[in-house]
């Protein structure tokens, strides 16, 4: 990796991991670095819950599958396939659950969320340099209150996602993105904000 720009360009979401273990200490170290690189010095409120032991991964996979089973698609899924999904999920080397404090006002809550997301993106970039890949997961089955209660969300918190992580053997191809131009308006020009 020879530059910041190539690191940003080359990082991909990783969905297939090899069997190498991902230690809690390693993830904590990366998080310390990511936190220390944030633009805003301090104040944001969010927390991380790490699921890395086999027992924790089994519990998380069971909760995810239970939530998925209670969906339209999940009800159609043959038992065998569902068991194979569960096994695959439990085999993910480590998972980082992120809960963000809602804040005392909408503004504080939104700032907390934005800061947490920036930190998670930095974490993904720092991890990429070590060939530690991640998938930021916010699938519908993770959004259900029953699932979030199981993984320990508190009243004042909102859920930012789970970062599944592991070392990877193969880098997938990138996906098509929304072009910045499609989001662009200029103040004062026709069609733009007045
Ligand atoms: C906030 C956020 C939520 C995401 N949620 C999901 C998700 O629920 N399921 C999924 O497969 N990928 C999810 N992703 C990963 C994106 O789909 C991924 O960024 C996209 O595939 C582009 O690939 P890249 O990360 O390799 O550039 C999420 C990414 C972000 C930043």
């Amino acid at each position: 990796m020879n530059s910041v720009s190539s690191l940003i360009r080359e990082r991909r979401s990783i969905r297939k991991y090899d069997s190498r273990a991902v230690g809690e200490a390693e993830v904590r170290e990366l998080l310390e670095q990511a936190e220390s690189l944030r633009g805003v010095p301090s104040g944001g409120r969010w927390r991380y819950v790490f699921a890395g032991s086999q027992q924790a991964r089994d519990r998380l996979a069971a909760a995810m599958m239970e939530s998925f089973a209670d969906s339209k698609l999940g009800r159609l899924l043959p038992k065998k396939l569902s068991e194979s999904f569960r096994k695959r999920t439990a085999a993910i080397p480590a998972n980082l659950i992120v809960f963000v404090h809602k804040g005392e006002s909408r503004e504080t809550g939104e700032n907390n969320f934005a800061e947490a997301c920036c930190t998670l993106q930095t974490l993904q970039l720092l991890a990429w340099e070590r060939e530690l890949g991640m998938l930021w997961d916010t699938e519908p089955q993770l959004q259900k209150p029953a699932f979030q209660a199981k993984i320990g969300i508190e009243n004042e918190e909102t859920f930012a996602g789970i970062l599944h992580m592991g070392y990877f053997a193969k880098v997938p191809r990138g996906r098509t993105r929304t072009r910045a131009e499609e989001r662009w308006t200029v103040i004062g020009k026709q069609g733009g904000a007045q």
Side-chain angles (χ1 to χ4, degrees), residues 11-15 117 121 124 135-140 160 172-175 177:
R11 185 209 56 82
R12 296 271 75 82
S13 289
I14 297 294
R15 293 171 169 83
C117 290
Q121 180 66 3
Q124 290 194 90
L135 175 68
W136 190 330
D137 189 354
T138 53
E139 295 285 335
R173 282 179 48 196
R175 295 188 180 183
R177 302 307 163 92

mmCIF file with all atom_site columns, all heavy atoms in Angstrom, residues 11-15 117 121 124 135-140 160 172-175 177, ligand 1:
data_model
loop_
_atom_site.group_PDB
_atom_site.id
_atom_site.type_symbol
_atom_site.label_atom_id
_atom_site.label_alt_id
_atom_site.label_comp_id
_atom_site.label_asym_id
_atom_site.label_entity_id
_atom_site.label_seq_id
_atom_site.pdbx_PDB_ins_code
_atom_site.Cartn_x
_atom_site.Cartn_y
_atom_site.Cartn_z
_atom_site.occupancy
_atom_site.B_iso_or_equiv
_atom_site.pdbx_formal_charge
_atom_site.auth_seq_id
_atom_site.auth_comp_id
_atom_site.auth_asym_id
_atom_site.auth_atom_id
_atom_site.pdbx_PDB_model_num
ATOM   1   N N   . ARG A 1 11  ? -9.761  -0.322  -0.835  1.00 0.00 ? 11  ARG A N   1
ATOM   2   C CA  . ARG A 1 11  ? -10.499 -1.051  0.204   1.00 0.00 ? 11  ARG A CA  1
ATOM   3   C C   . ARG A 1 11  ? -11.818 -1.562  -0.358  1.00 0.00 ? 11  ARG A C   1
ATOM   4   O O   . ARG A 1 11  ? -12.509 -0.860  -1.075  1.00 0.00 ? 11  ARG A O   1
ATOM   5   C CB  . ARG A 1 11  ? -10.793 -0.143  1.403   1.00 0.00 ? 11  ARG A CB  1
ATOM   6   C CG  . ARG A 1 11  ? -11.459 -0.889  2.553   1.00 0.00 ? 11  ARG A CG  1
ATOM   7   C CD  . ARG A 1 11  ? -12.347 0.004   3.387   1.00 0.00 ? 11  ARG A CD  1
ATOM   8   N NE  . ARG A 1 11  ? -13.357 0.666   2.591   1.00 0.00 ? 11  ARG A NE  1
ATOM   9   C CZ  . ARG A 1 11  ? -14.512 0.104   2.209   1.00 0.00 ? 11  ARG A CZ  1
ATOM   10  N NH1 . ARG A 1 11  ? -14.816 -1.121  2.581   1.00 0.00 ? 11  ARG A NH1 1
ATOM   11  N NH2 . ARG A 1 11  ? -15.354 0.773   1.456   1.00 0.00 ? 11  ARG A NH2 1
ATOM   12  N N   . ARG A 1 12  ? -12.140 -2.780  -0.026  1.00 0.00 ? 12  ARG A N   1
ATOM   13  C CA  . ARG A 1 12  ? -13.417 -3.384  -0.428  1.00 0.00 ? 12  ARG A CA  1
ATOM   14  C C   . ARG A 1 12  ? -14.088 -3.986  0.789   1.00 0.00 ? 12  ARG A C   1
ATOM   15  O O   . ARG A 1 12  ? -13.417 -4.376  1.756   1.00 0.00 ? 12  ARG A O   1
ATOM   16  C CB  . ARG A 1 12  ? -13.199 -4.545  -1.431  1.00 0.00 ? 12  ARG A CB  1
ATOM   17  C CG  . ARG A 1 12  ? -12.600 -4.190  -2.767  1.00 0.00 ? 12  ARG A CG  1
ATOM   18  C CD  . ARG A 1 12  ? -13.677 -3.824  -3.804  1.00 0.00 ? 12  ARG A CD  1
ATOM   19  N NE  . ARG A 1 12  ? -14.226 -2.515  -3.555  1.00 0.00 ? 12  ARG A NE  1
ATOM   20  C CZ  . ARG A 1 12  ? -13.677 -1.346  -3.934  1.00 0.00 ? 12  ARG A CZ  1
ATOM   21  N NH1 . ARG A 1 12  ? -12.564 -1.316  -4.606  1.00 0.00 ? 12  ARG A NH1 1
ATOM   22  N NH2 . ARG A 1 12  ? -14.278 -0.216  -3.676  1.00 0.00 ? 12  ARG A NH2 1
ATOM   23  N N   . SER A 1 13  ? -15.399 -4.100  0.723   1.00 0.00 ? 13  SER A N   1
ATOM   24  C CA  . SER A 1 13  ? -16.103 -4.874  1.747   1.00 0.00 ? 13  SER A CA  1
ATOM   25  C C   . SER A 1 13  ? -15.745 -6.346  1.542   1.00 0.00 ? 13  SER A C   1
ATOM   26  O O   . SER A 1 13  ? -15.737 -6.829  0.412   1.00 0.00 ? 13  SER A O   1
ATOM   27  C CB  . SER A 1 13  ? -17.612 -4.713  1.589   1.00 0.00 ? 13  SER A CB  1
ATOM   28  O OG  . SER A 1 13  ? -17.982 -3.417  1.977   1.00 0.00 ? 13  SER A OG  1
ATOM   29  N N   . ILE A 1 14  ? -15.454 -7.018  2.631   1.00 0.00 ? 14  ILE A N   1
ATOM   30  C CA  . ILE A 1 14  ? -15.039 -8.422  2.538   1.00 0.00 ? 14  ILE A CA  1
ATOM   31  C C   . ILE A 1 14  ? -16.102 -9.306  3.176   1.00 0.00 ? 14  ILE A C   1
ATOM   32  O O   . ILE A 1 14  ? -16.492 -9.104  4.327   1.00 0.00 ? 14  ILE A O   1
ATOM   33  C CB  . ILE A 1 14  ? -13.660 -8.631  3.216   1.00 0.00 ? 14  ILE A CB  1
ATOM   34  C CG1 . ILE A 1 14  ? -12.573 -7.822  2.493   1.00 0.00 ? 14  ILE A CG1 1
ATOM   35  C CG2 . ILE A 1 14  ? -13.282 -10.103 3.277   1.00 0.00 ? 14  ILE A CG2 1
ATOM   36  C CD1 . ILE A 1 14  ? -12.255 -8.249  1.067   1.00 0.00 ? 14  ILE A CD1 1
ATOM   37  N N   . ARG A 1 15  ? -16.567 -10.258 2.387   1.00 0.00 ? 15  ARG A N   1
ATOM   38  C CA  . ARG A 1 15  ? -17.638 -11.149 2.866   1.00 0.00 ? 15  ARG A CA  1
ATOM   39  C C   . ARG A 1 15  ? -17.154 -12.573 3.082   1.00 0.00 ? 15  ARG A C   1
ATOM   40  O O   . ARG A 1 15  ? -17.881 -13.391 3.642   1.00 0.00 ? 15  ARG A O   1
ATOM   41  C CB  . ARG A 1 15  ? -18.811 -11.131 1.885   1.00 0.00 ? 15  ARG A CB  1
ATOM   42  C CG  . ARG A 1 15  ? -19.527 -9.783  1.826   1.00 0.00 ? 15  ARG A CG  1
ATOM   43  C CD  . ARG A 1 15  ? -20.540 -9.715  0.693   1.00 0.00 ? 15  ARG A CD  1
ATOM   44  N NE  . ARG A 1 15  ? -21.395 -8.526  0.799   1.00 0.00 ? 15  ARG A NE  1
ATOM   45  C CZ  . ARG A 1 15  ? -21.072 -7.316  0.361   1.00 0.00 ? 15  ARG A CZ  1
ATOM   46  N NH1 . ARG A 1 15  ? -19.918 -7.117  -0.238  1.00 0.00 ? 15  ARG A NH1 1
ATOM   47  N NH2 . ARG A 1 15  ? -21.908 -6.299  0.515   1.00 0.00 ? 15  ARG A NH2 1
ATOM   48  N N   . CYS A 1 117 ? -19.753 6.736   12.716  1.00 0.00 ? 117 CYS A N   1
ATOM   49  C CA  . CYS A 1 117 ? -19.594 6.193   11.360  1.00 0.00 ? 117 CYS A CA  1
ATOM   50  C C   . CYS A 1 117 ? -18.231 6.574   10.768  1.00 0.00 ? 117 CYS A C   1
ATOM   51  O O   . CYS A 1 117 ? -17.579 5.755   10.113  1.00 0.00 ? 117 CYS A O   1
ATOM   52  C CB  . CYS A 1 117 ? -20.721 6.667   10.447  1.00 0.00 ? 117 CYS A CB  1
ATOM   53  S SG  . CYS A 1 117 ? -22.303 5.920   10.866  1.00 0.00 ? 117 CYS A SG  1
ATOM   54  N N   . GLN A 1 121 ? -15.324 3.956   9.515   1.00 0.00 ? 121 GLN A N   1
ATOM   55  C CA  . GLN A 1 121 ? -14.689 3.965   8.191   1.00 0.00 ? 121 GLN A CA  1
ATOM   56  C C   . GLN A 1 121 ? -13.166 4.003   8.353   1.00 0.00 ? 121 GLN A C   1
ATOM   57  O O   . GLN A 1 121 ? -12.444 3.292   7.654   1.00 0.00 ? 121 GLN A O   1
ATOM   58  C CB  . GLN A 1 121 ? -15.193 5.157   7.355   1.00 0.00 ? 121 GLN A CB  1
ATOM   59  C CG  . GLN A 1 121 ? -14.588 5.251   5.969   1.00 0.00 ? 121 GLN A CG  1
ATOM   60  C CD  . GLN A 1 121 ? -14.990 4.099   5.044   1.00 0.00 ? 121 GLN A CD  1
ATOM   61  O OE1 . GLN A 1 121 ? -15.768 3.250   5.408   1.00 0.00 ? 121 GLN A OE1 1
ATOM   62  N NE2 . GLN A 1 121 ? -14.415 4.074   3.858   1.00 0.00 ? 121 GLN A NE2 1
ATOM   63  N N   . GLN A 1 124 ? -11.974 0.627   9.232   1.00 0.00 ? 124 GLN A N   1
ATOM   64  C CA  . GLN A 1 124 ? -11.924 -0.284  8.078   1.00 0.00 ? 124 GLN A CA  1
ATOM   65  C C   . GLN A 1 124 ? -10.672 -0.048  7.243   1.00 0.00 ? 124 GLN A C   1
ATOM   66  O O   . GLN A 1 124 ? -10.063 -0.987  6.750   1.00 0.00 ? 124 GLN A O   1
ATOM   67  C CB  . GLN A 1 124 ? -13.152 -0.082  7.198   1.00 0.00 ? 124 GLN A CB  1
ATOM   68  C CG  . GLN A 1 124 ? -14.448 -0.560  7.829   1.00 0.00 ? 124 GLN A CG  1
ATOM   69  C CD  . GLN A 1 124 ? -15.554 -0.646  6.789   1.00 0.00 ? 124 GLN A CD  1
ATOM   70  O OE1 . GLN A 1 124 ? -15.746 -1.672  6.165   1.00 0.00 ? 124 GLN A OE1 1
ATOM   71  N NE2 . GLN A 1 124 ? -16.263 0.425   6.599   1.00 0.00 ? 124 GLN A NE2 1
ATOM   72  N N   . LEU A 1 135 ? -17.062 -6.344  6.808   1.00 0.00 ? 135 LEU A N   1
ATOM   73  C CA  . LEU A 1 135 ? -18.344 -6.041  6.182   1.00 0.00 ? 135 LEU A CA  1
ATOM   74  C C   . LEU A 1 135 ? -19.212 -5.329  7.203   1.00 0.00 ? 135 LEU A C   1
ATOM   75  O O   . LEU A 1 135 ? -19.502 -5.866  8.273   1.00 0.00 ? 135 LEU A O   1
ATOM   76  C CB  . LEU A 1 135 ? -19.071 -7.310  5.718   1.00 0.00 ? 135 LEU A CB  1
ATOM   77  C CG  . LEU A 1 135 ? -20.471 -7.005  5.167   1.00 0.00 ? 135 LEU A CG  1
ATOM   78  C CD1 . LEU A 1 135 ? -20.407 -6.228  3.858   1.00 0.00 ? 135 LEU A CD1 1
ATOM   79  C CD2 . LEU A 1 135 ? -21.291 -8.261  4.983   1.00 0.00 ? 135 LEU A CD2 1
ATOM   80  N N   . TRP A 1 136 ? -19.612 -4.140  6.858   1.00 0.00 ? 136 TRP A N   1
ATOM   81  C CA  . TRP A 1 136 ? -20.488 -3.336  7.714   1.00 0.00 ? 136 TRP A CA  1
ATOM   82  C C   . TRP A 1 136 ? -21.913 -3.817  7.424   1.00 0.00 ? 136 TRP A C   1
ATOM   83  O O   . TRP A 1 136 ? -22.434 -3.624  6.331   1.00 0.00 ? 136 TRP A O   1
ATOM   84  C CB  . TRP A 1 136 ? -20.313 -1.878  7.339   1.00 0.00 ? 136 TRP A CB  1
ATOM   85  C CG  . TRP A 1 136 ? -20.934 -0.877  8.241   1.00 0.00 ? 136 TRP A CG  1
ATOM   86  C CD1 . TRP A 1 136 ? -22.047 -1.025  9.008   1.00 0.00 ? 136 TRP A CD1 1
ATOM   87  C CD2 . TRP A 1 136 ? -20.474 0.460   8.446   1.00 0.00 ? 136 TRP A CD2 1
ATOM   88  N NE1 . TRP A 1 136 ? -22.310 0.137   9.675   1.00 0.00 ? 136 TRP A NE1 1
ATOM   89  C CE2 . TRP A 1 136 ? -21.354 1.076   9.352   1.00 0.00 ? 136 TRP A CE2 1
ATOM   90  C CE3 . TRP A 1 136 ? -19.401 1.206   7.942   1.00 0.00 ? 136 TRP A CE3 1
ATOM   91  C CZ2 . TRP A 1 136 ? -21.209 2.393   9.766   1.00 0.00 ? 136 TRP A CZ2 1
ATOM   92  C CZ3 . TRP A 1 136 ? -19.255 2.517   8.359   1.00 0.00 ? 136 TRP A CZ3 1
ATOM   93  C CH2 . TRP A 1 136 ? -20.151 3.100   9.261   1.00 0.00 ? 136 TRP A CH2 1
ATOM   94  N N   . ASP A 1 137 ? -22.524 -4.450  8.373   1.00 0.00 ? 137 ASP A N   1
ATOM   95  C CA  . ASP A 1 137 ? -23.816 -5.115  8.164   1.00 0.00 ? 137 ASP A CA  1
ATOM   96  C C   . ASP A 1 137 ? -24.937 -4.344  8.861   1.00 0.00 ? 137 ASP A C   1
ATOM   97  O O   . ASP A 1 137 ? -24.871 -4.095  10.072  1.00 0.00 ? 137 ASP A O   1
ATOM   98  C CB  . ASP A 1 137 ? -23.700 -6.549  8.741   1.00 0.00 ? 137 ASP A CB  1
ATOM   99  C CG  . ASP A 1 137 ? -24.891 -7.425  8.414   1.00 0.00 ? 137 ASP A CG  1
ATOM   100 O OD1 . ASP A 1 137 ? -25.863 -6.924  7.840   1.00 0.00 ? 137 ASP A OD1 1
ATOM   101 O OD2 . ASP A 1 137 ? -24.832 -8.629  8.742   1.00 0.00 ? 137 ASP A OD2 1
ATOM   102 N N   . THR A 1 138 ? -25.942 -3.974  8.060   1.00 0.00 ? 138 THR A N   1
ATOM   103 C CA  . THR A 1 138 ? -27.130 -3.282  8.621   1.00 0.00 ? 138 THR A CA  1
ATOM   104 C C   . THR A 1 138 ? -28.399 -3.927  8.063   1.00 0.00 ? 138 THR A C   1
ATOM   105 O O   . THR A 1 138 ? -29.411 -3.262  7.891   1.00 0.00 ? 138 THR A O   1
ATOM   106 C CB  . THR A 1 138 ? -27.125 -1.785  8.230   1.00 0.00 ? 138 THR A CB  1
ATOM   107 O OG1 . THR A 1 138 ? -26.991 -1.689  6.803   1.00 0.00 ? 138 THR A OG1 1
ATOM   108 C CG2 . THR A 1 138 ? -26.015 -1.013  8.893   1.00 0.00 ? 138 THR A CG2 1
ATOM   109 N N   . GLU A 1 139 ? -28.323 -5.211  7.745   1.00 0.00 ? 139 GLU A N   1
ATOM   110 C CA  . GLU A 1 139 ? -29.445 -5.907  7.105   1.00 0.00 ? 139 GLU A CA  1
ATOM   111 C C   . GLU A 1 139 ? -30.714 -5.816  7.960   1.00 0.00 ? 139 GLU A C   1
ATOM   112 O O   . GLU A 1 139 ? -30.630 -5.664  9.184   1.00 0.00 ? 139 GLU A O   1
ATOM   113 C CB  . GLU A 1 139 ? -29.075 -7.389  6.904   1.00 0.00 ? 139 GLU A CB  1
ATOM   114 C CG  . GLU A 1 139 ? -27.924 -7.636  5.945   1.00 0.00 ? 139 GLU A CG  1
ATOM   115 C CD  . GLU A 1 139 ? -28.312 -7.467  4.472   1.00 0.00 ? 139 GLU A CD  1
ATOM   116 O OE1 . GLU A 1 139 ? -29.499 -7.629  4.143   1.00 0.00 ? 139 GLU A OE1 1
ATOM   117 O OE2 . GLU A 1 139 ? -27.414 -7.158  3.664   1.00 0.00 ? 139 GLU A OE2 1
ATOM   118 N N   . PRO A 1 140 ? -31.894 -5.962  7.297   1.00 0.00 ? 140 PRO A N   1
ATOM   119 C CA  . PRO A 1 140 ? -33.171 -5.820  8.016   1.00 0.00 ? 140 PRO A CA  1
ATOM   120 C C   . PRO A 1 140 ? -33.290 -6.697  9.273   1.00 0.00 ? 140 PRO A C   1
ATOM   121 O O   . PRO A 1 140 ? -33.862 -6.273  10.273  1.00 0.00 ? 140 PRO A O   1
ATOM   122 C CB  . PRO A 1 140 ? -34.217 -6.231  6.972   1.00 0.00 ? 140 PRO A CB  1
ATOM   123 C CG  . PRO A 1 140 ? -33.559 -5.972  5.664   1.00 0.00 ? 140 PRO A CG  1
ATOM   124 C CD  . PRO A 1 140 ? -32.092 -6.172  5.853   1.00 0.00 ? 140 PRO A CD  1
ATOM   125 N N   . ALA A 1 160 ? -25.814 1.102   15.067  1.00 0.00 ? 160 ALA A N   1
ATOM   126 C CA  . ALA A 1 160 ? -25.111 1.565   13.855  1.00 0.00 ? 160 ALA A CA  1
ATOM   127 C C   . ALA A 1 160 ? -24.720 0.417   12.936  1.00 0.00 ? 160 ALA A C   1
ATOM   128 O O   . ALA A 1 160 ? -24.370 0.637   11.784  1.00 0.00 ? 160 ALA A O   1
ATOM   129 C CB  . ALA A 1 160 ? -23.872 2.361   14.239  1.00 0.00 ? 160 ALA A CB  1
ATOM   130 N N   . PRO A 1 172 ? -12.495 -8.986  -3.589  1.00 0.00 ? 172 PRO A N   1
ATOM   131 C CA  . PRO A 1 172 ? -13.552 -8.971  -4.616  1.00 0.00 ? 172 PRO A CA  1
ATOM   132 C C   . PRO A 1 172 ? -13.481 -7.721  -5.490  1.00 0.00 ? 172 PRO A C   1
ATOM   133 O O   . PRO A 1 172 ? -12.814 -6.757  -5.134  1.00 0.00 ? 172 PRO A O   1
ATOM   134 C CB  . PRO A 1 172 ? -14.842 -8.982  -3.790  1.00 0.00 ? 172 PRO A CB  1
ATOM   135 C CG  . PRO A 1 172 ? -14.464 -8.392  -2.486  1.00 0.00 ? 172 PRO A CG  1
ATOM   136 C CD  . PRO A 1 172 ? -13.019 -8.695  -2.245  1.00 0.00 ? 172 PRO A CD  1
ATOM   137 N N   . ARG A 1 173 ? -14.200 -7.758  -6.611  1.00 0.00 ? 173 ARG A N   1
ATOM   138 C CA  . ARG A 1 173 ? -14.246 -6.565  -7.480  1.00 0.00 ? 173 ARG A CA  1
ATOM   139 C C   . ARG A 1 173 ? -15.129 -5.502  -6.859  1.00 0.00 ? 173 ARG A C   1
ATOM   140 O O   . ARG A 1 173 ? -16.057 -5.809  -6.124  1.00 0.00 ? 173 ARG A O   1
ATOM   141 C CB  . ARG A 1 173 ? -14.814 -6.970  -8.844  1.00 0.00 ? 173 ARG A CB  1
ATOM   142 C CG  . ARG A 1 173 ? -13.771 -7.673  -9.689  1.00 0.00 ? 173 ARG A CG  1
ATOM   143 C CD  . ARG A 1 173 ? -14.321 -8.102  -11.016 1.00 0.00 ? 173 ARG A CD  1
ATOM   144 N NE  . ARG A 1 173 ? -15.059 -7.019  -11.687 1.00 0.00 ? 173 ARG A NE  1
ATOM   145 C CZ  . ARG A 1 173 ? -15.879 -7.253  -12.710 1.00 0.00 ? 173 ARG A CZ  1
ATOM   146 N NH1 . ARG A 1 173 ? -16.075 -8.472  -13.139 1.00 0.00 ? 173 ARG A NH1 1
ATOM   147 N NH2 . ARG A 1 173 ? -16.516 -6.244  -13.293 1.00 0.00 ? 173 ARG A NH2 1
ATOM   148 N N   . GLY A 1 174 ? -14.839 -4.267  -7.164  1.00 0.00 ? 174 GLY A N   1
ATOM   149 C CA  . GLY A 1 174 ? -15.635 -3.158  -6.627  1.00 0.00 ? 174 GLY A CA  1
ATOM   150 C C   . GLY A 1 174 ? -17.020 -3.098  -7.259  1.00 0.00 ? 174 GLY A C   1
ATOM   151 O O   . GLY A 1 174 ? -17.251 -3.695  -8.311  1.00 0.00 ? 174 GLY A O   1
ATOM   152 N N   . ARG A 1 175 ? -17.934 -2.392  -6.594  1.00 0.00 ? 175 ARG A N   1
ATOM   153 C CA  . ARG A 1 175 ? -19.284 -2.231  -7.127  1.00 0.00 ? 175 ARG A CA  1
ATOM   154 C C   . ARG A 1 175 ? -19.474 -0.833  -7.699  1.00 0.00 ? 175 ARG A C   1
ATOM   155 O O   . ARG A 1 175 ? -18.733 0.084   -7.363  1.00 0.00 ? 175 ARG A O   1
ATOM   156 C CB  . ARG A 1 175 ? -20.298 -2.461  -6.021  1.00 0.00 ? 175 ARG A CB  1
ATOM   157 C CG  . ARG A 1 175 ? -20.255 -3.886  -5.534  1.00 0.00 ? 175 ARG A CG  1
ATOM   158 C CD  . ARG A 1 175 ? -21.387 -4.155  -4.576  1.00 0.00 ? 175 ARG A CD  1
ATOM   159 N NE  . ARG A 1 175 ? -21.308 -5.542  -4.134  1.00 0.00 ? 175 ARG A NE  1
ATOM   160 C CZ  . ARG A 1 175 ? -22.181 -6.117  -3.340  1.00 0.00 ? 175 ARG A CZ  1
ATOM   161 N NH1 . ARG A 1 175 ? -23.207 -5.433  -2.888  1.00 0.00 ? 175 ARG A NH1 1
ATOM   162 N NH2 . ARG A 1 175 ? -22.049 -7.375  -2.980  1.00 0.00 ? 175 ARG A NH2 1
ATOM   163 N N   . ARG A 1 177 ? -20.852 2.795   -8.133  1.00 0.00 ? 177 ARG A N   1
ATOM   164 C CA  . ARG A 1 177 ? -21.210 3.794   -7.126  1.00 0.00 ? 177 ARG A CA  1
ATOM   165 C C   . ARG A 1 177 ? -22.095 4.873   -7.723  1.00 0.00 ? 177 ARG A C   1
ATOM   166 O O   . ARG A 1 177 ? -22.063 5.103   -8.925  1.00 0.00 ? 177 ARG A O   1
ATOM   167 C CB  . ARG A 1 177 ? -19.947 4.480   -6.581  1.00 0.00 ? 177 ARG A CB  1
ATOM   168 C CG  . ARG A 1 177 ? -18.959 3.552   -5.974  1.00 0.00 ? 177 ARG A CG  1
ATOM   169 C CD  . ARG A 1 177 ? -19.662 2.714   -4.954  1.00 0.00 ? 177 ARG A CD  1
ATOM   170 N NE  . ARG A 1 177 ? -18.869 1.551   -4.641  1.00 0.00 ? 177 ARG A NE  1
ATOM   171 C CZ  . ARG A 1 177 ? -18.004 1.509   -3.656  1.00 0.00 ? 177 ARG A CZ  1
ATOM   172 N NH1 . ARG A 1 177 ? -17.831 2.550   -2.914  1.00 0.00 ? 177 ARG A NH1 1
ATOM   173 N NH2 . ARG A 1 177 ? -17.327 0.411   -3.432  1.00 0.00 ? 177 ARG A NH2 1
HETATM 174 C C1  . LIG B 2 .   ? -23.402 2.082   6.678   1.00 0.00 ? 1   LIG B C1  1
HETATM 175 C C2  . LIG B 2 .   ? -23.187 0.867   5.835   1.00 0.00 ? 1   LIG B C2  1
HETATM 176 C C3  . LIG B 2 .   ? -24.079 -0.189  5.928   1.00 0.00 ? 1   LIG B C3  1
HETATM 177 C C4  . LIG B 2 .   ? -23.904 -1.339  5.163   1.00 0.00 ? 1   LIG B C4  1
HETATM 178 N N1  . LIG B 2 .   ? -24.784 -2.387  5.290   1.00 0.00 ? 1   LIG B N1  1
HETATM 179 C C5  . LIG B 2 .   ? -24.618 -3.489  4.534   1.00 0.00 ? 1   LIG B C5  1
HETATM 180 C C6  . LIG B 2 .   ? -25.502 -4.574  4.649   1.00 0.00 ? 1   LIG B C6  1
HETATM 181 O O1  . LIG B 2 .   ? -26.432 -4.552  5.441   1.00 0.00 ? 1   LIG B O1  1
HETATM 182 N N2  . LIG B 2 .   ? -25.297 -5.658  3.874   1.00 0.00 ? 1   LIG B N2  1
HETATM 183 C C7  . LIG B 2 .   ? -24.268 -5.721  2.988   1.00 0.00 ? 1   LIG B C7  1
HETATM 184 O O2  . LIG B 2 .   ? -24.127 -6.719  2.309   1.00 0.00 ? 1   LIG B O2  1
HETATM 185 N N3  . LIG B 2 .   ? -23.369 -4.705  2.877   1.00 0.00 ? 1   LIG B N3  1
HETATM 186 C C8  . LIG B 2 .   ? -23.547 -3.608  3.629   1.00 0.00 ? 1   LIG B C8  1
HETATM 187 N N4  . LIG B 2 .   ? -22.652 -2.575  3.547   1.00 0.00 ? 1   LIG B N4  1
HETATM 188 C C9  . LIG B 2 .   ? -21.522 -2.700  2.651   1.00 0.00 ? 1   LIG B C9  1
HETATM 189 C C10 . LIG B 2 .   ? -21.840 -2.038  1.323   1.00 0.00 ? 1   LIG B C10 1
HETATM 190 O O3  . LIG B 2 .   ? -22.810 -2.759  0.662   1.00 0.00 ? 1   LIG B O3  1
HETATM 191 C C11 . LIG B 2 .   ? -20.553 -1.976  0.573   1.00 0.00 ? 1   LIG B C11 1
HETATM 192 O O4  . LIG B 2 .   ? -19.957 -0.827  0.972   1.00 0.00 ? 1   LIG B O4  1
HETATM 193 C C12 . LIG B 2 .   ? -20.755 -2.034  -0.917  1.00 0.00 ? 1   LIG B C12 1
HETATM 194 O O5  . LIG B 2 .   ? -20.886 -3.374  -1.218  1.00 0.00 ? 1   LIG B O5  1
HETATM 195 C C13 . LIG B 2 .   ? -19.609 -1.374  -1.615  1.00 0.00 ? 1   LIG B C13 1
HETATM 196 O O6  . LIG B 2 .   ? -18.489 -2.173  -1.527  1.00 0.00 ? 1   LIG B O6  1
HETATM 197 P P1  . LIG B 2 .   ? -17.079 -1.743  -0.924  1.00 0.00 ? 1   LIG B P1  1
HETATM 198 O O7  . LIG B 2 .   ? -17.256 -1.529  0.543   1.00 0.00 ? 1   LIG B O7  1
HETATM 199 O O8  . LIG B 2 .   ? -16.242 -2.909  -1.279  1.00 0.00 ? 1   LIG B O8  1
HETATM 200 O O9  . LIG B 2 .   ? -16.581 -0.509  -1.558  1.00 0.00 ? 1   LIG B O9  1
HETATM 201 C C14 . LIG B 2 .   ? -22.812 -1.421  4.297   1.00 0.00 ? 1   LIG B C14 1
HETATM 202 C C15 . LIG B 2 .   ? -21.908 -0.366  4.202   1.00 0.00 ? 1   LIG B C15 1
HETATM 203 C C16 . LIG B 2 .   ? -22.088 0.770   4.962   1.00 0.00 ? 1   LIG B C16 1
HETATM 204 C C17 . LIG B 2 .   ? -21.090 1.884   4.858   1.00 0.00 ? 1   LIG B C17 1
#
